[in-house]
Amino acid sequence: MERIITSIIVAMLLILSLHAQQVGSAYIYAPAVITSEQVGTLTTISLNVTYGNGQVSVIGPSSVGSSTIDSAQTAVAYAASYLGVNKNSYNFIYTINDKNTSVSGPSAGLAFTVLAISALSHTSLLHDFTLTGTISYNGSVGLIGGIYDKAGIAAEKGLSFIIAPYASSTSFERFMYYIVQQNYNIPIVMVSNVSQALPYVYGIRQPRMMNYSLAENYNISAIPEANLSCTSCNLSAFSDLTNFTINFTRQTILGISSNYSQLKSEMLNDTSQYSEIASKGYLYTAADFSFLTFINAFLLENVHDANITSARSLIGNVSNYCAMQTPPQLTNTNYEYVIGGEMRQELGNITAANAAAMLNTSQTTDGVLESIYTAASAAGWCLAANKMYSLAASMNGTPVAVSPSLAGAATSAIDSASAYGSSTYLDAAINEYKSGNYAAAIYAATYADTLDNTLLAENYTTNQMLQIANSNIENSTFGVWPTEFALQARFYIDQGTIGRAVPNSSMIQEGYITSVLAKRMNSANKLIASSFVNTSYGQVPSQQLEELQQEISQIYYILVVVTALLIVILVILLAMLLRNPEKTVPKTRGRIR
């Protein structure tokens, strides 16, 4: 009898032991990036849940980073909360099938969470997908890096779709998702939280190719013709600049591969709209919109250069092009084109350098593409600068120079803009100031002081912004830049009000901010123009005059010293002659004839 009881107890303990060892299990395919090689890799993560005391462990690789372990703990906490169970009643053992490697980073958070929910609820997962994203304690999914390389390996292994964190429609990450999807022909399913991912991992919902659009639709027919009267403006030159910008954008779009035919068609249609906008007299508006389209087109045209070697060559070419531009002689008629070109050339130089630095620190193909995207801005700025220099060189006018007295105004402008933190515009202003180009420094600082101030419109209602903007527009016509900015402000306001019962607040805000830039550029132009020193007919600007006076003084002192030395030498010679008079007449040998 005692033996029977013992056997029963042993059997029960064995059953309990087996039950404790396995509550539930699940596995999933998870992507990662081998940063040393910038390639994707696909691994299997499995989870074994047993009864226990809430322990969470991650095993498999030779080492596991603390961020990965933290991510697993967060995943377990949310999964238990989601299912309404006590996590401290279980132990969770995650196994990453990556032996002899080091694993770090939080991007497996979503995978850890889905595994925990599946294992605890005994719900089977599909195994034809992969997913990536961080996880928070409230179940929200956060952005990660390396989507290009991760999707690439998923497509290579024949998986059907990839789940990724939600990215806003205006973000670079959403643009990347579309590029990845079109390049590898694999659907990207965006989710903001775990509950949105579950229907896909269980096969309840079918994935679809995500939609993405760059199309812009403006109500061009409703806006009136531009009607601001510009003081001292060469609008024919600015029209040439606008057409040039639209044309180089269109040429770039035409170079995009058929993988992105939808975006290609949309952007070509957009350039047609920009031409219509220009035909109504909103020249800068058309050029500005075209410039922004060019940046997207440049990346799509160069997606095939998504490796470090090709990208380095591409960025190097952009950098060299920016560095080789040379501004023409400044005159009283071309100064806006020269100074505007100098500012944009400096912006291009800075941005090209930033793109190169970004590439050098890149660990994923995402980083390579982002560096190319950054280089696109540099290319656009320097193309515009080169055209401005060409237009400026063809304009008649009196040669002038900027007075050194403008340095104080440039310092004040930079100090004001510095309140909003570092930016490309502020860096350009500082660099131009250091080189003595105070006019370009004022231009760049004015941009920074306006466009970098994120609180510029915070204290105004929509109606107040409308009133201020309208006043700014009417008083911003001293030169082509203020006038064109004022017209762009008018364009935004018309787009935000015409045909609308309620004004579009975001459009009104854009109009208000642009009107402030117009007003400030109006003041900058007046200040710069008033500082001009005529350099024609032998007149020399004060800075050069000071340098010339210093050189003359140096030459004078040298001449004084040399003259003194000559006098000393002459005195010595005379003294020698007086001491030896007989040697002054040489004796003649031979016959006297």
Side-chain angles (χ1 to χ4, degrees):
M1 184 66 180
E2 188 174 330
R3 286 185 177 181
I4 295 173
I5 292 173
T6 301
S7 298
I8 291 173
I9 292 173
V10 169
M12 290 177 66
L13 289 173
L14 180 61
I15 292 170
L16 289 173
S17 175
L18 290 171
H19 185 57
Q21 290 176 2
Q22 185 79 41
V23 171
S25 63
Y27 77 91
I28 205 167
Y29 294 121
V33 180
I34 303 174
T35 55
S36 60
E37 302 175 21
Q38 292 191 346
V39 296
T41 182
L42 199 64
T43 188
T44 303
I45 302 178
S46 60
L47 171 63
N48 188 40
V49 180
T50 65
Y51 287 109
N53 57 6
Q55 293 182 7
V56 179
S57 58
V58 181
I59 61 174
S62 58
S63 67
V64 179
S66 60
S67 59
T68 302
I69 296 172
D70 291 344
S71 182
Q73 292 173 337
T74 303
V76 166
Y78 176 75
S81 174
Y82 180 82
L83 294 172
V85 301
N86 184 359
K87 71 179 181 65
N88 293 325
S89 299
Y90 307 94
N91 287 340
F92 302 82
I93 303 173
Y94 289 99
T95 302
I96 301 176
N97 188 26
D98 263 338
K99 296 180 179 179
N100 304 318
T101 62
S102 296
V103 173
S104 63
S107 65
L110 177 58
F112 287 151
T113 308
V114 168
L115 284 170
I117 292 174
S118 175
L120 287 170
S121 65
H122 306 287
T123 307
S124 298
L125 298 172
L126 296 176
H127 294 112
D128 65 342
F129 73 95
T130 188
L131 73 174
T132 186
T134 65
I135 191 69
S136 67
Y137 281 102
N138 65 2
S140 61
V141 179
L143 289 171
I144 44 78
I147 188 66
Y148 193 95
D149 300 316
K150 292 174 180 179
I153 192 65
E156 181 183 321
K157 297 298 184 180
L159 299 184
S160 299
F161 63 99
I162 181 169
I163 298 175
Y166 176 83
S168 67
S169 59
T170 58
S171 68
F172 178 74
E173 194 70 19
R174 175 74 76 92
F175 194 20
M176 279 295 306
Y177 285 176
Y178 183 78
I179 290 173
V180 165
Q181 177 181 270
Q182 298 306 112
N183 192 59
Y184 291 114
N185 194 32
I186 185 169
I188 304 291
V189 176
M190 295 189 300
V191 298
S192 298
N193 52 60
V194 174
S195 60
Q196 290 177 352
L198 293 178
Y200 292 99
V201 303
Y202 295 149
I204 298 172
R205 295 190 64 179
Q206 297 300 311
R208 297 179 180 178
M209 299 289 274
M210 64 174 284
N211 294 322
Y212 185 75
S213 176
L214 291 172
E216 297 180 22
N217 295 298
Y218 297 106
N219 187 5
I220 303 172
S221 61
I223 62 174
E225 298 284 338
N227 59 0
L228 283 181
S229 179
C230 179
T231 303
S232 303
C233 291
N234 190 329
L235 289 179
S236 63
F238 208 95
S239 178
D240 194 358
L241 174 63
T242 298
N243 291 331
F244 169 79
T245 306
I246 293 172
N247 286 335
F248 76 64
T249 298
R250 184 178 287 116
Q251 288 303 311
T252 304
I253 295 169
L254 292 174
I256 297 172
S257 73
S258 59
N259 284 22
Y260 312 100
S261 57
Q262 173 199 329
L263 296 188
K264 186 174 182 178
S265 176
E266 288 177 356
M267 288 189 286
L268 286 173
N269 181 65
D270 287 343
T271 60
S272 297
Q273 288 189 80
Y274 306 151
S275 294
E276 290 182 54
I277 292 170
S279 69
K280 287 207 164 186
Y282 300 88
L283 300 176
Y284 175 78
T285 305
D288 184 37
F289 291 169
S290 183
F291 178 90
L292 297 175
T293 297
F294 167 77
I295 296 172
N296 292 327
F298 185 93
L299 177 59
L300 291 174
E301 184 188 32
N302 293 286
V303 165
H304 59 277
D305 285 331
N307 62 78
I308 288 180
T309 301
S310 296
R312 183 172 289 119
S313 176
L314 176 66
I315 294 170
N317 290 338
V318 171
S319 181
N320 292 336
Y321 177 76
C322 287
M324 68 183 289
Q325 308 303 329
T326 303
Q329 168 66 50
L330 188 72
T331 72
N332 63 338
T333 59
N334 73 6
Y335 72 94
E336 287 189 275
Y337 292 86
V338 174
I339 298 170
E342 288 171 333
M343 184 194 76
R344 283 162 178 78
Q345 184 180 2
E346 185 59 42
L347 291 170
N349 288 331
I350 292 170
T351 309
N354 289 343
M358 188 182 299
L359 180 65
N360 289 336
T361 58
S362 174
Q363 294 185 313
T364 66
T365 302
D366 289 28
V368 174
L369 289 171
E370 190 170 2
S371 69
I372 294 174
Y373 188 76
T374 302
S377 295
W381 270 319
C382 293
L383 282 166
N386 185 47
K387 182 62 175 180
M388 288 181 197
Y389 291 160
S390 175
L391 292 168
S394 66
M395 297 178 189
N396 297 322
T398 303
V400 295
V402 173
S403 170
S405 63
L406 207 60
T411 300
S412 297
I414 290 172
D415 288 344
S416 178
S418 297
Y420 311 115
S422 179
S423 72
T424 305
Y425 287 120
L426 182 60
D427 290 344
I430 293 170
N431 289 351
E432 290 299 301
Y433 180 87
K434 289 179 178 178
S435 68
N437 191 347
Y438 304 129
I442 289 173
Y443 265 28
T446 302
Y447 275 68
D449 197 23
T450 307
L451 303 181
D452 295 339
N453 182 0
T454 57
L455 303 179
L456 188 63
E458 186 181 52
N459 297 321
Y460 299 105
T461 65
T462 298
N463 286 334
Q464 287 173 328
M465 284 190 285
L466 273 171
Q467 292 174 1
I468 297 170
N470 286 326
S471 176
N472 289 342
I473 289 168
E474 295 302 323
N475 293 283
S476 302
T477 58
F478 189 83
V480 69
W481 291 114
T483 303
E484 288 300 326
F485 289 142
L487 286 172
Q488 185 175 43
R490 173 61 63 200
F491 179 88
Y492 281 129
I493 290 172
D494 286 345
Q495 290 295 301
T497 56
I498 293 177
R500 299 176 185 268
V502 178
N504 182 312
S505 58
S506 62
M507 282 286 186
I508 302 305
Q509 181 170 311
E510 286 290 337
Y512 165 72
I513 293 171
T514 309
S515 78
V516 172
L517 179 60
K519 182 180 179 180
R520 291 176 176 177
M521 286 296 289
N522 194 75
S523 299
N525 269 357
K526 288 182 177 180
L527 179 65
I528 292 169
S530 67
S531 76
F532 288 153
V533 179
N534 195 317
T535 61
S536 62
Y537 307 111
Q539 296 186 49
V540 182
S542 57
Q543 186 175 14
Q544 295 180 18
L545 185 59
E546 290 174 5
E547 294 173 354
L548 184 59
Q549 287 173 339
Q550 290 177 358
E551 292 176 3
I552 292 172
S553 296
Q554 291 173 355
I555 294 172
Y556 173 77
Y557 291 133
I558 292 172
L559 288 174
V560 169
V561 173
V562 170
T563 301
L565 288 173
L566 290 174
I567 292 172
V568 171
I569 293 170
L570 182 60
V571 170
I572 293 172
L573 290 175
L574 287 173
M576 292 175 64
L577 288 173
L578 292 173
R579 289 172 58 189
N580 301 288
E582 71 281 0
K583 294 181 180 180
T584 58
V585 180
K587 293 181 180 179
T588 302
R589 295 181 181 182
R591 297 176 182 176
I592 298 177
R593 296 180 184 269

